[in-house]
């Protein structure tokens, strides 16, 4: 009898849990290594006001719907955590998770870097496993940093996420960074999110806070500060670019999913690897693509009174959604701007001074007691630095932060390893689950990978398409406007019919979501 294969899954967030469930279903032995003491990834340390950005019907596991007791369209973070814990309990995953286990590095054993470079097939054969080659994981206890026994496995799934652990801090010239700020404190939203609610409330109370950034964390932080301090100690939001932050997911009463998440919407855009007919159709239907973008833009401009505040973006909504650069605006955000509790300041660059922040072209500083960077994370750095081998580190270096992965999951030149949950979509849980399903079928021998050259050509086509629609925001690997085309490819690989709905019109016009992929 063949020995069961061991699969190490690094991270117990949404992607890690799905990876555990699907590998288990194929008779493999999953081992989830989580540095925290709980499941949930980014949901375990977040702002008190954080809620889902995606309507819950799009953010759910295909075979485990939300309970009827959750009636909100956008559940709060604690409801999301409860939902994930129920999933773990329902599928019996807890026994396969090791908490407080931080993976510091991984080594590929049984093959030299030179031998690897000579391969034409992934791992030399295009298959998931190789008896002679293994991964060794070096682990420490996350609480004490004491080394734990190394683990040797047949396959590694990196579910380390994009939005945690390594903060993205802007670089400053000497003596113009946070060290020049004598009047107060500087931290990243990561540090603020890790605090309990009382500590966080006390930190911002009666302080002039400056928040750097204009994405979801920045907006939520600004609202917390505005609610705590009002116009007497206003919160300044320092941003570079205006964005299409949505007041709701129903512009002019039309669900956003009908404009961007069905097959008809994908006929309006060019797709990687499309034939001549689909290319021609996207050209002919481009006026409708423009119209859909305008429907959302006019709604957001009017509803948020953007013209009044000089906050109308110069790029299209299509570019924003193509790059996953959209967030749901906190309720009454612009009312707080009106009352003077939030001050919006635009600047391409800034530096620190003794009293606070000096923006480009200003003569007076923005006097602050606290500066919070809501400037994102360096998930790419985390992926790269886990490898001991410099060759593998170089492979995992993303140029322009585009991610060079086949099916957004497997690096053509790194064997017996997959990455899940790094690229974004309109619902990261949905696409992560599909990827885990595909990965489990691959490990089970349902299909083999194409040659390294074919995979690299496919990646190049995806990159070209994503760059075309994302414009200046191409640094984010996002498949929001192509998630059905992407899932179609995964379905074809694993032998499923990609058409998931009954009837021609239903398949063309109804939005596609997780429940469409519950079974073959």
């Amino acid at each position: 009898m063949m020995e069961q294969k061991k699969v190490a899954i690094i991270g117990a967030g949404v992607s890690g849990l799905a990876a555990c469930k699907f590998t288990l279903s194929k008779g493999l032995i999953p081992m989830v290594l989580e540095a925290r003491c709980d499941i949930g990834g980014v949901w375990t340390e977040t702002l008190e006001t954080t809620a889902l950005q995606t309507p819950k019907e799009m953010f759910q596991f295909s075979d485990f719907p939300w309970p009827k007791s959750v009636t909100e369209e956008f559940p709060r973070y604690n409801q999301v955590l409860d939902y994930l814990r129920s999933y773990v309990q329902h599928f019996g995953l807890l026994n396969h998770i090791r908490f407080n286990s931080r993976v510091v590095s991984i080594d590929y054993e049984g093959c030299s870097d030179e031998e690897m470079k000579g391969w034409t097939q992934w791992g030399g054969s295009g298959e998931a496993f190789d008896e002679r080659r293994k991964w060794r994981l070096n682990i420490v206890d996350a609480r004490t940093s004491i080394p734990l026994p190394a683990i040797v496995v047949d396959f590694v799934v990196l579910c380390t996420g994009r939005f945690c652990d390594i903060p993205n801090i802007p670089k400053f010239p000497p003596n113009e960074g946070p060290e020049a700020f004598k009047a107060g404190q500087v931290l990243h939203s990561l540090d603020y999110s890790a605090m309990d609610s009382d500590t966080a409330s006390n930190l911002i109370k009666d302080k002039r806070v400056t928040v750097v950034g204009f994405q979801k964390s920045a907006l939520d932080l600004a609202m917390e500060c505005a609610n705590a301090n009002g116009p007497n100690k206003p919160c300044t939001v320092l941003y570079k670019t205006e964005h299409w932050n949505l007041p709701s997911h129903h512009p002019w009463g039309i669900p956003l999913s009908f404009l961007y998440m069905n097959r008809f919407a994908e006929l309006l855009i060019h797709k990687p690897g499309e034939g001549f007919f689909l290319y021609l159709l996207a050209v002919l239907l481009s006026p409708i693509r423009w119209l859909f973008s305008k429907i959302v833009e006019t709604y957001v401009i009017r509803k948020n009174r953007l013209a009044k505040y000089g906050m109308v973006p110069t790029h299209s909504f299509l570019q924003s959604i193509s790059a996953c650069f959209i967030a749901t605006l906190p309720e009454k955000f612009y009312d707080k701007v009106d009352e003077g509790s939030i001050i919006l300041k635009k600047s391409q660059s800034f530096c620190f001074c003794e009293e606070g922040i000096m923006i480009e072209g200003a003569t007076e500083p923005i006097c602050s007691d606290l500066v919070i960077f809501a400037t994102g994370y360096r998930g790419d750095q985390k992926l790269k630095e886990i490898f001991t081998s410099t060759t593998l580190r170089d492979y995992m270096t993303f140029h322009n932060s585009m991610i060079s992965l086949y099916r957004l999951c497997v690096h053509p030149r790194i064997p017996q390893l997959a990455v899940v949950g790094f690229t974004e979509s309109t619902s990261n849980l949905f696409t992560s689950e599909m990827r885990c399903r595909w990965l489990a079928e691959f490990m089970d021998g349902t299909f083999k990978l194409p040659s390294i050259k074919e995979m690299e050509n496919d990646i190049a086509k995806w990159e070209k398409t994503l760059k075309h629609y994302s414009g200046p925001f191409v640094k984010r690997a996002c498949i929001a406007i192509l998630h059905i085309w992407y899932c179609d490819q995964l379905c074809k690989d694993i032998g499923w019919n990609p058409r998931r709905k009954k009837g021609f019109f239903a398949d063309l016009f109804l939005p596609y979501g997780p429940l469409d992929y519950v079974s073959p």
Side-chain angles (χ1 to χ4, degrees):
M1 190 176 153
M2 251 177 69
E3 194 186 341
Q4 280 180 296
K5 301 293 184 192
K6 291 180 184 154
V7 180
I9 297 161
I10 304 176
V14 163
S15 301
L17 298 177
C20 181
K21 186 250 177 183
F22 282 104
T23 48
L24 198 58
S25 73
K26 294 296 181 187
L28 302 161
I29 303 173
M31 191 183 302
V32 183
L33 300 158
E34 171 54 59
R36 294 181 175 91
C37 58
D38 198 0
I39 62 112
V42 290
W43 293 99
T44 58
E45 290 182 357
T46 187
L47 305 182
E48 283 285 296
T49 50
T50 301
L52 266 183
Q53 287 291 285
T54 311
K56 70 170 185 280
E57 67 270 11
M58 283 297 287
F59 191 94
Q60 62 183 340
F61 295 103
S62 61
D63 52 4
F64 193 74
W66 280 87
K68 297 261 193 302
S69 57
V70 178
T71 54
E72 295 87 345
E73 187 182 12
F74 301 99
R76 285 171 55 82
Y77 81 95
N78 51 336
Q79 293 171 299
V80 176
L81 273 176
D82 287 344
Y83 172 66
L84 296 178
R85 287 180 188 129
S86 302
Y87 179 79
V88 167
Q89 192 177 357
H90 181 78
F91 290 106
L93 307 182
L94 203 57
N95 294 340
H96 302 278
I97 304 172
R98 282 178 47 175
F99 294 110
N100 302 307
S101 302
R102 185 185 304 285
V103 179
V104 286
S105 64
I106 60 175
D107 293 294
Y108 191 56
E109 298 181 334
C111 177
S112 69
D113 288 355
E114 269 52 53
E115 189 186 337
M116 231 186 284
K117 285 174 186 171
W119 286 340
T120 55
Q121 294 288 131
W122 191 77
S125 67
E127 293 177 356
F129 302 108
D130 189 305
E131 292 298 329
R132 299 156 297 167
R133 307 183 186 111
K134 311 276 183 188
W135 283 99
R136 177 180 293 273
L137 282 68
N138 305 303
I139 305 163
V140 298
D141 186 308
R143 295 158 299 187
T144 61
S145 295
I146 293 170
L148 298 171
I151 294 171
V152 177
V153 295
D154 300 284
F155 202 100
V156 172
V157 188
L158 296 177
C159 302
T160 50
R162 191 184 180 114
F163 303 109
C164 59
D165 298 336
I166 302 181
N168 178 40
I169 305 279
K171 290 190 167 46
F172 298 93
N175 306 319
E176 291 184 7
E179 71 279 0
F181 180 40
K182 307 288 189 228
Q185 190 181 350
V186 180
L187 47 93
H188 189 271
S189 58
L190 171 81
D191 309 307
Y192 183 83
S193 301
M195 296 174 184
D196 62 69
S197 57
D198 288 345
T199 311
S201 299
N202 292 334
L203 179 71
I204 60 174
K205 187 130 190 74
D206 290 326
K207 289 202 177 77
R208 297 166 299 177
V209 183
T210 298
V211 175
V212 181
F214 200 57
Q215 278 295 292
K216 183 58 183 163
S217 295
L219 300 171
D220 284 348
L221 270 167
M223 278 303 279
E224 286 200 10
C225 296
N227 287 331
N229 300 325
N232 296 333
K233 296 276 175 76
C235 173
T236 303
V237 177
L238 193 59
Y239 69 95
K240 277 185 181 179
T241 309
E242 299 84 1
H243 286 294
W244 296 106
N245 295 315
L246 299 170
S248 91
H249 278 243
H250 297 79
W252 304 117
I254 306 165
L256 199 64
S257 54
F258 279 89
L259 299 178
Y260 287 101
M261 292 169 211
N262 57 17
R263 286 194 184 277
F264 179 71
E266 292 198 3
L267 288 179
L268 312 181
I269 56 177
H270 295 296
K271 293 163 281 294
E274 68 188 358
F276 178 72
F277 175 71
L278 288 178
Y279 170 83
L280 189 63
L281 210 52
V283 172
L284 295 174
L285 296 175
S286 60
I288 302 177
R289 183 175 73 220
W290 176 87
L291 177 67
F292 281 6
S293 201
K294 283 292 166 217
I295 286 171
V296 182
E297 288 166 29
T298 52
Y299 173 76
V300 177
I301 289 169
R302 182 158 174 195
K303 189 85 175 164
N304 291 343
R305 312 185 299 279
L306 296 186
K308 175 182 175 182
Y309 306 109
M311 294 298 289
V312 179
T314 53
H315 57 276
S316 69
F317 178 74
L318 178 65
Q319 277 188 327
S320 271
I321 194 169
S322 300
C324 293
F325 247 127
I326 54 169
T328 306
L329 197 71
E331 214 177 322
K332 300 190 174 166
F333 181 86
Y334 282 102
D335 291 352
K336 294 292 177 189
V337 176
D338 265 344
E339 71 181 34
S341 300
I342 294 175
I343 297 167
L344 300 169
K345 288 258 187 210
K346 182 174 182 174
S347 178
Q348 294 308 307
S349 67
F350 70 92
C351 62
F352 283 90
C353 58
E354 276 193 30
E355 301 91 351
I357 277 176
M358 186 68 81
I359 64 173
E360 196 178 29
T363 51
E364 292 292 315
I366 299 168
C367 295
S368 311
D369 304 308
L370 175 66
V371 175
I372 306 177
F373 286 117
T375 44
Y377 298 86
R378 290 300 308 273
D380 57 328
Q381 207 173 308
K382 195 167 46 164
L383 275 185
K384 174 183 170 175
E385 288 174 359
I386 202 164
F387 297 96
T388 307
S389 154
T390 51
T391 301
L392 298 186
R393 281 187 174 202
D394 288 345
Y395 286 152
M396 205 53 99
T397 301
F398 308 131
H399 306 290
N400 291 331
S401 288
M402 291 297 285
I403 185 162
S404 305
L405 300 176
Y406 177 69
R407 298 292 188 251
L408 304 175
C409 185
V410 168
H411 194 290
R413 296 186 182 275
I414 304 180
Q416 292 163 250
L417 178 134
V419 179
V420 179
F422 187 81
T423 45
E424 293 180 80
S425 72
T426 40
S427 168
N428 294 335
L429 185 153
F430 171 26
T431 37
S432 281
E433 188 192 27
M434 284 300 292
R435 232 161 267 167
C436 292
R437 202 188 278 275
W438 178 88
L439 197 55
E441 293 291 343
F442 171 53
M443 289 186 202
D444 201 35
T446 304
F447 63 94
K448 280 170 71 166
L449 292 178
S451 71
I452 289 173
K453 194 169 180 53
E454 285 174 90
M455 289 197 280
E456 287 176 341
N457 287 341
D458 187 78
I459 290 164
K461 285 177 189 169
W462 272 90
E463 290 200 350
K464 187 180 173 189
T465 304
L466 297 179
K467 282 177 181 172
H468 176 69
Y469 287 108
S470 300
F473 312 117
V474 74
K475 288 191 173 129
R476 294 162 79 97
C478 166
I479 57 161
I481 57 170
L482 283 169
H483 82 273
I484 301 173
W485 184 257
Y486 172 70
C487 288
D488 284 356
Q489 293 185 333
L490 301 187
C491 285
K492 286 172 191 168
D493 287 347
I494 63 180
W496 284 20
N497 178 2
R499 303 275 169 181
R500 310 300 301 166
K501 293 182 184 293
K502 289 191 173 82
F504 175 78
F505 289 104
D507 195 64
L508 189 60
F509 294 110
L510 289 182
Y512 260 71
L515 300 185
D516 292 310
Y517 296 91
V518 66
S519 63

